[in-house]
Amino acid sequence: MLGFDVGINGCSLKTEENLQVAALIPEDRLHIETDSPWCEIRPTHAGFKHIKTFYPSVKREKWNPDALVKSRNEPCQIRQVLEILSCIRSADIDMLADKIYQNSCKMFFSTV
């Protein structure tokens, strides 16, 4: 083991093989990100079937404050990455979220 941390975003979850690899990342080395405004999780991605939270979206020309812009990845969609990881790892979503939060604090705020 090299001791690297690994960040996972929607593009990391495109294929079944990617899901298998993501499931093997040690929990204490795992981080999540959206890579917004790019790399949305599309219906063609293998991980899409594990998403439980969906957000209304509209075309850019019809923007309104109650909807996301269609095909753009927003920070709130980080929950979708978490939902996929929770499912493929058979992990409690709240416990996994807490562990990932601890990992981020450890990485960015070394006094934690």
Side-chain angles (χ1 to χ4, degrees):
M1 183 66 72
L2 297 175
F4 294 115
D5 284 29
V6 180
I8 299 293
N9 65 23
C11 289
S12 305
L13 304 167
K14 282 184 180 180
T15 68
E16 289 296 332
E17 183 180 23
N18 292 41
L19 295 180
Q20 292 169 8
V21 171
L24 297 175
I25 297 168
E27 193 175 86
D28 65 330
R29 297 294 185 174
L30 183 62
H31 298 269
I32 58 174
E33 56 182 295
T34 61
D35 202 20
S36 70
W38 319 114
C39 293
E40 68 176 326
I41 302 169
R42 297 176 181 255
T44 56
H45 292 183
F48 185 84
K49 63 184 172 245
H50 302 295
I51 296 174
K52 296 178 176 83
T53 305
F54 294 93
Y55 303 93
S57 64
V58 296
K59 290 184 177 183
R60 179 177 49 173
E61 300 80 24
K62 297 185 178 195
W63 180 86
N64 75 68
D66 297 322
L68 303 180
V69 174
K70 189 174 178 73
S71 296
R72 185 166 69 192
N73 197 7
E74 298 289 349
C76 65
Q77 290 169 290
I78 198 167
R79 177 165 183 88
Q80 295 175 331
V81 177
L82 177 64
E83 289 172 348
I84 294 169
L85 289 172
S86 172
C87 188
I88 65 173
R89 298 166 77 91
S90 299
D92 177 81
I93 194 166
D94 293 323
M95 292 177 69
L96 184 60
D98 186 56
K99 183 59 183 165
I100 292 169
Y101 174 75
Q102 290 173 24
N103 294 344
S104 296
C105 287
K106 183 177 160 187
M107 174 174 274
F108 297 106
F109 307 102
S110 60
T111 60
V112 175

